[in-house]
């Protein structure tokens, strides 16, 4: 596999429906490898649901060998029971990623929407329309949980696509960054002494 390529597994956690998507990024080419949902409606037992989530995430990791894992952080609503269930589902998915030694990154729903549409209050439909435009999605999925997971993966690509990470270099400070990237500077007139 090309060193510069990324394979990102994105998860939209849930105890009824969990969305997942696998995204491949090579240079400027973004390609959807797989996107779907795991339906847990038929399962009544909470712990069985958690076991199924863990197994599914582990299976996705084994099949697609991602090198990054991104998951949506639970939205803090008023229903405490729902929050607990969602938190457990998220925790189990994270545990599967950690067992595979994948770096885990969480994103708030607002951050994901902001990075895809430019508006943190976008609807799921607006996020989907933008994803269609960016990744050239052919068909409308039956559940927005799948496209939400794709949005999480794409959000992670954007967030990890900084100048430093894109070149696989890290810099100790702005001075070192400027010294190593003179072409990226914009020639602005210097401020008078003491105003820098």
């Amino acid at each position: 596999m090309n060193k510069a390529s990324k394979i990102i597994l994105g998860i939209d956690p849930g105890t009824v429906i969990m969305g997942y998507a696998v995204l491949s990024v090579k240079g400027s080419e973004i390609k959807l490898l797989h996107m779907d949902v795991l339906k847990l409606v038929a399962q009544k037992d909470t712990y069985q649901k958690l076991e199924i989530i863990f197994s599914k995430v582990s299976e996705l990791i084994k099949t697609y060998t991602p090198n990054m894992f991104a998951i949506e952080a639970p939205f803090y609503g008023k229903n405490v029971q729902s929050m607990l269930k969602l938190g457990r589902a998220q925790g189990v998915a994270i545990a599967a990623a950690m067992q595979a030694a994948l770096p885990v990154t969480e994103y708030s729903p607002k951050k994901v929407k902001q990075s895809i549409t430019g508006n943190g209050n976008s609807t799921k439909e607006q996020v989907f329309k933008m994803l269609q435009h960016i990744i050239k999605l052919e068909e409308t999925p039956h559940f927005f949980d799948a496209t939400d997971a794709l949005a999480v993966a794409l959000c992670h690509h954007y967030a990890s696509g900084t100048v430093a990470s894109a070149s696989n270099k890290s810099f100790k400070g702005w001075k070192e960054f400027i010294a190593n990237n003179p072409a990226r500077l914009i020639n602005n007139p210097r401020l008078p002494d003491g105003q820098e």
Side-chain angles (χ1 to χ4, degrees):
M1 187 169 67
N2 182 342
K3 255 189 176 178
S5 70
K6 293 188 263 190
I7 297 177
I8 307 163
L9 172 57
I11 299 286
D12 178 34
T15 53
V16 178
I17 295 173
M18 178 189 87
Y20 57 87
V22 186
L23 203 58
S24 166
V25 183
K26 287 184 183 177
S28 60
E29 184 194 5
I30 301 170
K31 187 178 166 189
L32 175 63
L33 299 180
H34 186 58
M35 177 175 73
D36 205 349
V37 293
L38 173 66
K39 295 179 192 172
L40 299 151
V41 185
Q43 298 299 325
K44 298 282 182 251
D45 183 68
T46 304
Y47 299 107
Q48 204 170 359
K49 283 183 180 184
L50 296 176
E51 185 186 350
I52 293 166
I53 290 168
F54 184 88
S55 296
K56 184 63 186 180
V57 173
S58 299
E59 177 196 312
L60 288 165
I61 291 167
K62 193 176 177 182
T63 305
Y64 294 98
T65 59
N67 45 25
M68 297 178 176
F69 180 89
I71 191 164
E72 193 169 88
F75 172 74
Y76 294 101
K78 290 178 181 174
N79 188 327
V80 178
Q81 282 304 313
S82 294
M83 281 302 305
L84 281 171
K85 287 176 185 174
L86 193 55
R88 285 175 175 172
Q90 188 206 28
V92 164
I94 289 171
M98 290 177 75
Q99 188 180 54
L102 281 177
V104 173
T105 311
E106 288 182 73
Y107 294 98
S108 71
K110 208 174 184 79
K111 169 74 178 167
V112 172
K113 290 173 182 178
Q114 176 77 38
S115 73
I116 305 302
T117 67
N119 177 1
N121 297 313
S122 299
T123 63
K124 288 177 182 284
E125 289 84 356
Q126 288 169 325
V127 170
F128 169 65
K129 288 287 181 199
M130 190 56 84
L131 288 171
Q132 265 188 318
H133 176 70
I134 299 166
I135 302 177
K136 312 286 184 263
L137 295 175
E138 306 267 320
E139 55 192 79
T140 308
H142 297 296
F143 298 94
F144 280 120
D145 306 78
T147 51
D148 284 352
L150 177 57
V152 172
L154 189 59
C155 170
H156 183 68
H157 163 57
Y158 291 153
S160 63
T162 58
V163 175
S165 65
S167 59
N168 288 329
K169 291 179 186 171
S170 60
F171 300 99
K172 290 178 186 148
W174 281 113
K175 238 180 196 169
E176 188 183 339
F177 176 80
I178 291 165
N180 286 285
N181 294 276
R184 297 186 65 87
L185 293 179
I186 298 169
N187 290 323
N188 286 332
R190 276 179 61 90
L191 290 169
D193 287 339
Q195 291 185 30
E196 291 183 73

